Amino acid sequence: MAINDLSKDLAPIASITMADVVEVKLREYLKKKSFLPGDALPKELELAEALGVSRNVLREALSRLRMLGMIETKKKRGMVLARPDILGTFERVLDPLIIDKETLQDIFELRLVLEMGLADLIYVRKTDKDIAELENIAKKEVNLDNSFRIKNEIAFHGKLYEMSGNDTLKRFQIMLLPIFDYVVTLEKKPTRGKINHMDLVQILKTGSKADFKKGMEAHLKPHFDRLK
Amino acid sequence: MAINDLSKDLAPIASITMADVVEVKLREYLKKKSFLPGDALPKELELAEALGVSRNVLREALSRLRMLGMIETKKKRGMVLARPDILGTFERVLDPLIIDKETLQDIFELRLVLEMGLADLIYVRKTDKDIAELENIAKKEVNLDNSFRIKNEIAFHGKLYEMSGNDTLKRFQIMLLPIFDYVVTLEKKPTRGKINHMDLVQILKTGSKADFKKGMEAHLKPHFDRLK
DNA sequence: ACATTTGATATGTCCTACATAAGGGCTTAT
DNA sequence: ATAAGCCCTTATGTAGGACATATCAAATGT
């Protein structure tokens, strides 16, 4: 696996610290003891002593887990295991400016893939109400200037994600939006598929899932045409 | 947006600490100054003083950024901005045991969506060599006992991701695998679509993209049938 | 029985000290 | 004069102690 080789080669750049080790050990500990969310954890001093590190180092590791939402702490009550917000942690590193070009492109493609695969969920869960709302969004965009068109574009596709009935997916899309926009504006051709939003709405109303997939493909074709 | 309401309601469980604030401020600082990977950062003492916090608190915040791979530190050289591994951070919280049931289901669906949308990338980038390798994997599975069949199943679908030519996607799939398995084994019906792996390979050889999408849909149908 | 106060305790924050590694400049040898 | 080797400086890594603060729980008073 080329990926693993790479990470192996690149790993020793920064020497590992005690906090790194403690973080891993804590994670293993939580898993091994099969703690469940809400369970109380030992106190800092006990953990520090058990691990043979200063409270300082331990707290650096705990701080990391706390950031990920894996634990929560209160003044006297101590620490409890919590449910991390898996997307919240992801969001912290999603900045177009610090992501390398290849990964940006990968994420751009990831959104396209999601958008295409969405059809299968949408056709399981779409309701008439959803379609009506979608149509309203599409109708509005007829006479809008450019800045508002972008907002409407986002609203339309966002509604599609919403219609998937999958909250995680919807949030994921919101997070990916800035990256997508960034890549699109890098290449400055205007992108306009042969199928527009109103067409898609019509297909949703009367067409089959296969029709919708074809429509989506046509709608996104300008983006796919950039791939190589 | 119901999601935001929820997170707003749930937020004040854990009181925010200085480290939380400093983490945000540091992130803003890095963005505002538009540092680029490799750029040197001020020393800990300077940052601590500028922020009006102890070196201890600052280090807790730095420890978080270091975990995310946003910064790297060396003994005398100081700190430099680095490129975070966006998926590495994600991986840390992807444990089926601590993710709530709804999110698990969402992730399960996410993988299905990816797998369906993959076709559009595969048909841009597939090569004869890829298809030959895929066929080899499919051939092997004819006479395998159950435990090996699962491994082969993973190999086959993994190869499909690989054929997308998108490393991020491929790694993403690897991370999602445990979750997917977990959900599948929760419901214990054996899942077998009408289209098997060899069928898919044949379609890839001679069929159109639409054919492949149909085939994929039939292959994954048992999974989709569970959705509601 | 209920409300209030008081004390104990675990986390949050700060400070100081020292270890360690690495860069920079200095000396020395060829 | 150049290169090698040494020492000094410096920024991060780790340790330990001290106090603030919030909160639970028990003791107290009505």
Side-chain angles (χ1 to χ4, degrees):
Chain A
M1 245 164 255
I3 297 167
N4 253 330
D5 290 347
L6 187 70
S7 65
K8 219 184 276 174
D9 289 356
L10 259 50
I13 283 185
S15 56
I16 61 172
T17 67
M18 290 274 174
D20 296 322
V21 178
V22 170
E23 185 208 329
V24 173
K25 288 212 173 195
L26 281 177
R27 196 177 260 115
E28 282 170 0
Y29 171 72
L30 296 180
K31 210 174 255 181
K32 188 184 268 175
K33 291 279 241 170
S34 58
F35 281 113
L36 292 181
D39 289 358
L41 272 52
K43 323 173 232 237
E44 290 184 355
L45 278 173
E46 290 173 7
L47 286 173
E49 197 175 1
L51 289 162
V53 297
S54 72
R55 190 166 159 239
N56 234 327
V57 168
L58 177 78
R59 276 185 65 82
E60 282 189 23
L62 287 177
S63 179
R64 299 178 179 188
L65 300 188
R66 200 156 38 236
M67 173 184 66
L68 299 179
M70 294 182 67
I71 61 175
E72 283 177 0
T73 57
K74 270 177 142 183
K75 274 277 164 88
K76 142 114 181 191
R77 200 180 179 120
M79 297 179 290
V80 294
L81 198 62
R83 290 194 192 286
D85 174 9
I86 58 166
L87 289 185
T89 68
F90 198 56
E91 196 166 15
R92 292 181 136 89
V93 289
L94 269 189
D95 181 345
L97 294 177
I98 53 176
I99 300 179
D100 62 289
K101 246 180 58 191
E102 288 74 23
T103 306
L104 277 177
Q105 173 68 19
D106 282 355
I107 293 177
F108 173 80
E109 292 171 14
L110 168 60
R111 215 204 86 162
L112 291 180
V113 168
L114 285 178
E115 211 116 332
M116 291 303 303
L118 220 48
D120 291 277
L121 283 186
I122 290 176
Y123 265 77
V124 169
R125 294 182 176 143
K126 71 184 161 73
T127 66
D128 290 343
K129 184 164 161 284
D130 279 331
I131 296 179
E133 283 181 42
L134 195 67
E135 186 166 20
N136 274 333
I137 296 172
K139 269 182 187 162
K140 272 190 204 153
E141 81 193 22
V142 180
N143 40 11
L144 284 177
D145 61 57
N146 222 24
S147 72
F148 283 99
R149 269 205 75 260
I150 293 176
K151 274 195 183 169
N152 210 263
E153 170 87 18
I154 293 174
F156 184 86
H157 286 264
K159 179 67 189 172
L160 283 180
Y161 279 84
E162 203 178 309
M163 287 169 68
S164 75
N166 187 316
D167 280 347
T168 304
L169 211 42
K170 165 82 174 153
R171 286 186 58 205
F172 201 49
Q173 179 246 359
I174 293 175
M175 288 169 37
L176 258 37
L177 261 177
I179 309 258
F180 193 79
D181 285 354
Y182 183 80
V183 174
V184 168
T185 52
L186 275 189
E187 348 212 338
K188 48 249 180 197
K189 296 182 225 159
T191 61
R192 211 61 172 269
K194 292 224 170 124
I195 297 274
N196 66 22
H197 290 168
M198 268 320 267
D199 298 331
L200 287 175
V201 172
Q202 286 310 317
I203 297 175
L204 271 175
K205 276 186 182 171
T206 59
S208 69
K209 181 159 75 174
D211 292 336
F212 184 72
K213 286 185 181 179
K214 279 226 177 68
M216 207 58 180
E217 194 178 328
H219 180 60
L220 295 175
K221 187 166 187 303
H223 294 309
F224 277 110
D225 283 346
R226 295 181 184 172
L227 306 186
K228 37 183 184 288
Chain B
M1 244 161 258
I3 296 166
N4 254 329
D5 290 348
L6 186 70
S7 63
K8 219 185 274 173
D9 289 355
L10 259 51
I13 284 185
S15 58
I16 61 172
T17 67
M18 289 274 174
D20 296 323
V21 179
V22 171
E23 185 208 329
V24 173
K25 288 213 174 196
L26 281 178
R27 198 177 257 115
E28 282 170 1
Y29 171 73
L30 296 180
K31 211 175 252 181
K32 187 184 269 177
K33 290 280 240 172
S34 58
F35 281 113
L36 292 181
D39 288 359
L41 271 52
K43 326 175 230 241
E44 289 184 355
L45 278 173
E46 290 174 7
L47 287 173
E49 197 174 0
L51 289 162
V53 297
S54 73
R55 191 167 158 237
N56 232 323
V57 168
L58 177 79
R59 278 185 63 82
E60 281 190 23
L62 287 177
S63 179
R64 299 179 179 188
L65 300 187
R66 199 157 38 237
M67 173 184 64
L68 299 180
M70 293 182 66
I71 60 175
E72 282 176 359
T73 57
K74 272 176 141 181
K75 271 278 163 86
K76 145 111 184 193
R77 196 178 178 127
M79 298 177 290
V80 295
L81 198 62
R83 290 194 193 286
D85 175 9
I86 57 167
L87 290 185
T89 70
F90 198 57
E91 197 166 12
R92 287 171 200 263
V93 289
L94 229 45
D95 181 346
L97 294 177
I98 54 176
I99 300 180
D100 62 290
K101 246 181 58 192
E102 288 75 22
T103 306
L104 276 177
Q105 173 67 19
D106 282 356
I107 294 177
F108 173 80
E109 292 172 15
L110 169 58
R111 215 204 84 164
L112 290 181
V113 167
L114 285 179
E115 211 116 331
M116 290 304 303
L118 219 50
D120 291 277
L121 284 187
I122 290 176
Y123 265 78
V124 170
R125 295 183 176 140
K126 70 183 160 75
T127 66
D128 289 342
K129 184 162 160 287
D130 280 331
I131 296 179
E133 283 180 43
L134 194 67
E135 186 167 20
N136 274 333
I137 296 172
K139 269 181 189 163
K140 273 190 204 153
E141 80 194 22
V142 181
N143 39 13
L144 283 176
D145 61 59
N146 222 25
S147 72
F148 283 100
R149 270 204 74 261
I150 294 175
K151 274 195 183 166
N152 210 262
E153 170 86 18
I154 293 174
F156 185 87
H157 286 264
K159 179 65 190 175
L160 284 179
Y161 280 84
E162 203 178 310
M163 287 169 67
S164 75
N166 187 317
D167 280 347
T168 304
L169 211 42
K170 166 81 174 152
R171 286 187 58 202
F172 201 49
Q173 178 247 0
I174 292 174
M175 288 169 38
L176 258 36
L177 262 178
I179 310 259
F180 193 79
D181 285 354
Y182 183 80
V183 175
V184 168
T185 52
L186 275 188
E187 347 213 339
K188 49 246 177 200
K189 297 180 225 162
T191 60
R192 210 67 171 266
K194 293 223 169 124
I195 297 275
N196 65 22
H197 290 167
M198 267 322 268
D199 298 331
L200 287 175
V201 172
Q202 286 309 318
I203 297 176
L204 271 176
K205 276 185 180 170
T206 60
S208 70
K209 182 159 75 176
D211 292 335
F212 183 71
K213 286 185 180 180
K214 280 226 177 70
M216 208 56 181
E217 195 178 327
H219 180 62
L220 296 175
K221 188 166 185 303
H223 294 309
F224 277 110
D225 283 345
R226 295 181 185 175
L227 305 186
K228 39 181 183 285

